[in-house]
Amino acid sequence: MDEIKNYDTAAHKFYNSQTISSLPLISWDFHAAHFQKICKDHADVFLLKKLAQTNKWSSPLEFDEKLTHDKYVIVVTDSHLKIVHATHNILEMNGYIPKEIIGKKPKMFQGKDTCVQTSKEIGQAIRQQRPFEAIVLNYRKNGSSYKCWIKGEPIYDIYGEVVNFIAYEKEVA
């Protein structure tokens, strides 16, 4: 009987720590889609935390809030600006699935009408290893354009070296 009580206590503690809320039975179809998104979000957060641990990031970042609440797309590059991780929700923003862009540079999203000056300012901030914020005209996989708000910053390891860059992105009107 103590085993069941311990299980109930542990289960209660676990479910209270989650951001998942229960829904009435009638909304299972909507809940299933939402549940799949939550699962993908948590998988992305797990992979981002693993990347942070592997690369010995000097300070932890709060991916949960940025991904689930703020609904940002998160793109991480290595120090040479090659994409090493993109969250699953990039598909909704520009039509690419993460594995299609891994190893490529974020410039792949730019095109003929992307502002050259804005691109130069972002490039300068990256070279100077400082944070930046900009709105850029990017292009989807199907060729259509969209305005993308980007907030990027360098990520330092415990030795003070830049090991990654991270960008929080969102389509804006």
Side-chain angles (χ1 to χ4, degrees):
M1 196 62 155
D2 283 340
E3 292 174 4
I4 293 173
K5 185 177 180 183
N6 290 339
Y7 173 81
D8 286 345
T9 302
H12 179 74
K13 184 178 178 181
F14 172 77
Y15 287 115
N16 281 342
S17 72
Q18 300 302 302
T19 57
I20 301 171
S21 56
S22 61
L23 297 171
L25 199 52
I26 198 163
S27 62
W28 274 93
D29 289 340
F30 299 111
H31 179 67
H34 181 69
F35 183 71
Q36 286 178 340
K37 183 186 176 331
I38 289 171
C39 289
K40 289 178 181 179
D41 286 349
H42 285 291
D44 277 330
V45 168
F46 174 79
L47 291 171
L48 286 164
K49 287 181 178 182
K50 187 175 180 181
L51 180 66
Q53 183 180 19
T54 301
N55 290 346
K56 300 178 181 168
W57 291 2
S58 62
S59 59
L61 300 174
E62 293 300 320
F63 304 116
D64 292 338
E65 186 72 17
K66 301 275 189 203
L67 188 59
T68 59
H69 183 265
D70 298 333
K71 296 180 178 26
Y72 292 137
V73 170
I74 301 174
V75 177
V76 181
T77 69
D78 63 14
S79 60
H80 303 291
L81 300 182
K82 290 195 177 174
I83 298 169
V84 295
H85 182 80
T87 53
H88 74 280
N89 57 348
I90 196 165
L91 176 66
E92 298 165 23
M93 185 170 70
N94 64 21
Y96 289 97
I97 58 174
K99 70 180 181 181
E100 291 179 292
I101 64 173
I102 300 298
K104 298 181 181 174
K105 295 191 175 199
K107 278 203 173 272
M108 71 177 282
F109 304 120
Q110 298 178 6
K112 63 180 176 96
D113 292 327
T114 301
C115 178
V116 175
Q117 181 62 34
T118 303
S119 293
K120 284 182 182 179
E121 290 170 6
I122 292 171
Q124 184 177 17
I126 290 169
R127 283 188 296 283
Q128 294 174 352
Q129 299 179 347
R130 61 179 172 79
F132 66 89
E133 188 173 333
I135 294 177
V136 180
L137 185 70
N138 278 347
Y139 288 83
R140 293 181 178 88
K141 186 176 181 178
N142 68 9
S144 64
S145 64
Y146 66 100
K147 289 183 180 179
C148 183
W149 170 85
I150 304 170
K151 182 177 181 179
E153 60 185 276
I155 303 293
Y156 297 90
D157 66 9
I158 58 175
Y159 308 108
E161 299 293 321
V162 171
V163 290
N164 296 103
F165 287 92
I166 191 166
Y168 303 100
E169 303 182 7
K170 194 172 212 175
E171 184 175 350
V172 294

